[in-house]
Amino acid sequence: MNDALAATAVLLLHLAFVLFVVFGALLVARRPVLAWLHLPAAAWGFFVEFSGRGCPLTAWENLLRVRAGLAGYEGGFIEHHVLRLLYPAGLTRELQLALAAAVVIVNLLLYGWVFLRSRARSGRRP
């Protein structure tokens, strides 16, 4: 596999991971055993955003892009690929903290829904 193709594969893997971090609780609603994968992934997503550290997948993608003769990029995956579409001004620390909070809030809401749904199915009241 050439480096440009590998960089694209890492990019797609990274996107899938980000989507899993944010919306994985919806999968947990169908398959509760996935919580063992989703909760650590969501914790990692929160940690990366809250701490301001880069994700290793971003570094890996950049390395592959440079090895393929393509330009690497500054900043993280969200800033480069997602935020420039949604927030052209770029990623600020405040926005990064808001994204970390959004990961927690979305997942608390989804897990609350999963919990209430499972209790309703079992005939118990919340």
Side-chain angles (χ1 to χ4, degrees):
M1 176 183 303
N2 71 28
D3 291 328
L5 185 58
T8 301
V10 172
L11 169 70
L12 293 174
L13 173 68
H14 204 168
L15 178 60
F17 183 79
V18 169
L19 291 173
F20 182 64
V21 163
V22 177
F23 299 111
L26 293 173
L27 294 174
V28 172
R30 307 258 309 136
R31 302 276 187 255
V33 72
L34 289 177
W36 292 104
L37 291 173
H38 179 253
L39 288 172
W44 174 257
F46 171 79
F47 170 75
V48 167
E49 290 302 326
F50 185 76
S51 69
R53 297 174 191 233
C55 178
L57 291 172
T58 300
W60 191 20
E61 180 192 347
N62 273 329
L63 172 68
L64 291 167
R65 290 177 59 79
V66 169
R67 284 180 32 184
L70 304 169
Y73 56 84
E74 295 289 324
F77 171 83
I78 291 175
E79 180 181 18
H80 185 73
H81 293 290
V82 178
L83 287 182
R84 76 179 176 168
L85 296 174
L86 299 175
Y87 307 102
L91 181 66
T92 64
R93 183 68 182 135
E94 291 77 22
L95 184 55
Q96 202 170 18
L97 291 172
L99 288 170
V103 166
V104 171
I105 291 167
V106 166
N107 280 287
L108 284 174
L109 290 171
L110 290 172
Y111 272 94
W113 174 72
V114 167
F115 176 75
L116 291 175
R117 185 173 168 230
S118 71
R119 288 187 62 112
R121 281 186 174 171
S122 68
R124 291 180 275 170
R125 293 215 142 137

